[in-house]
Amino acid sequence: GIAFDQNGYRLGWGKGYYDRLLAGVTATKIGLAYSFQIVPRLPHRSYDIPMDIVITESGVVIPATEPGSSQEQTWIPDQVRNDKENTK
């Protein structure tokens, strides 16, 4: 993916091929990215398939099992956290 958000959604190339493939996958879905590719939120639609885990060179993002869950869900790379603080 081009980018991943804290909920495991990915920004791809816009054709939906990967989401159609992932719709039939029951295995754990793992995305690989650099930490600068992790963003707070990406737009997504009902047919978009989120990753279960996203691994970067700086750590691992594990999305919550349900949107709005009170579970402490996401590890955010320091670079992303710093960028968010600097844009306020």
Side-chain angles (χ1 to χ4, degrees):
I2 297 169
F4 295 87
D5 73 9
Q6 298 172 9
N7 295 311
Y9 288 102
R10 53 182 276 293
L11 178 63
W13 297 100
K15 302 289 185 186
Y17 298 118
Y18 201 62
D19 292 307
R20 285 193 290 278
L21 170 73
L22 290 175
V25 173
T26 58
T28 301
K29 293 171 271 313
I30 301 172
L32 300 176
Y34 290 104
S35 59
F36 68 83
Q37 292 174 278
I38 307 297
V39 298
R41 184 168 169 79
L42 289 170
H44 62 276
R45 299 216 164 108
S46 61
Y47 53 80
D48 290 329
I49 306 295
M51 300 292 103
D52 297 310
I53 299 170
V54 180
I55 300 172
T56 76
E57 81 283 6
S58 301
V60 178
V61 176
I62 303 174
T65 54
E66 297 179 20
S69 168
S70 61
Q71 169 188 346
E72 193 62 37
Q73 83 262 25
T74 305
W75 170 86
I76 304 171
D78 286 337
Q79 181 61 42
V80 173
R81 185 176 297 113
N82 292 338
D83 288 348
K84 284 175 28 182
E85 290 170 1
N86 292 335
T87 59
K88 291 182 181 178

